[in-house]
Amino acid sequence: MLPAAMAETIFTKIISGEIPCHKVYEDDLVFAFLDIGPLSAGHTLVIPKEPAVTLDELSAESAAAVGRVLPRLSRALVKATGCNQYNLLQNNGTRAHQVVQHVHFHLIPKPDEDSGLGVGWPAGKLDPKQGADLAARIAAALEA
Ligand code: 5GP
């Protein structure tokens, strides 16, 4: 039974086996399976079993467990698909394209221009003064 703040999602049901999936990896803290709507062959979702909604809510233990296995899963994906270029995508919040409210990392092979992840990158220019102020505020928030 999950705490009230952590609603059940399609991913908690996939972890429990209530909803079927094509599983590629599981350990005590992490689960990985093929995305049902792949952007390219091999598109894999890597999720912590902990039902945090966004990355900032995830425990260091679960984050470390996901981080530990990502390179290994990436190597397996490269080997299995023959595609050695890929993106790691992690969306937080609906405006940031998060649909399923359970932290997940997309591993998406990029075999050609037409498949895999397409990225809009509206780059600005960092103002030195604003940059210094923002970096100081973020660093201070880390201490809090
Ligand atoms: P998001 O947009 O939240 O970052 O991505 C959610 C992903 O979950 C989507 O790529 C979507 O295709 C995938 N997804 C949603 N429901 C299911 C499901 O029932 N099974 C699997 N395997 N993937 C799902």
Side-chain angles (χ1 to χ4, degrees):
M1 186 73 173
L2 296 173
M6 294 174 171
E8 233 189 19
T9 66
I10 203 132
F11 288 175
T12 50
K13 291 180 181 171
I14 285 175
I15 293 167
S16 70
E18 201 178 322
I19 292 177
C21 73
H22 294 288
K23 182 169 91 174
V24 300
Y25 176 82
E26 180 174 14
D27 64 31
D28 288 351
L29 298 175
V30 182
F31 196 93
F33 54 103
L34 296 183
D35 193 297
I36 204 168
L39 295 183
S40 59
H43 183 165
T44 298
L45 295 172
V46 186
I47 66 177
K49 289 185 175 175
E50 180 185 331
V53 176
T54 51
L55 188 60
D56 51 286
E57 294 177 356
L58 190 63
S59 70
E61 189 188 16
S62 288
V66 170
R68 208 163 27 238
V69 78
L70 276 174
R72 198 171 148 216
L73 279 168
S74 303
R75 283 191 290 276
L77 201 56
V78 167
K79 207 168 173 182
T81 62
C83 176
N84 66 0
Q85 301 190 45
Y86 55 93
N87 292 95
L88 176 66
L89 174 70
Q90 204 276 313
N91 300 326
N92 299 280
T94 49
R95 199 184 319 126
H97 306 288
Q98 182 179 13
V99 174
V100 179
Q101 303 303 304
H102 181 129
V103 174
H104 51 280
F105 296 76
H106 297 257
L107 268 176
I108 313 169
K110 186 71 182 168
D112 51 57
E113 279 305 314
D114 297 330
S115 58
L117 183 67
V119 183
W121 198 272
K125 198 168 190 310
L126 184 63
D127 174 80
K129 192 175 167 317
Q130 283 173 0
D133 177 58
L134 195 51
R137 282 194 287 128
I138 295 168
L142 279 173
E143 305 303 322

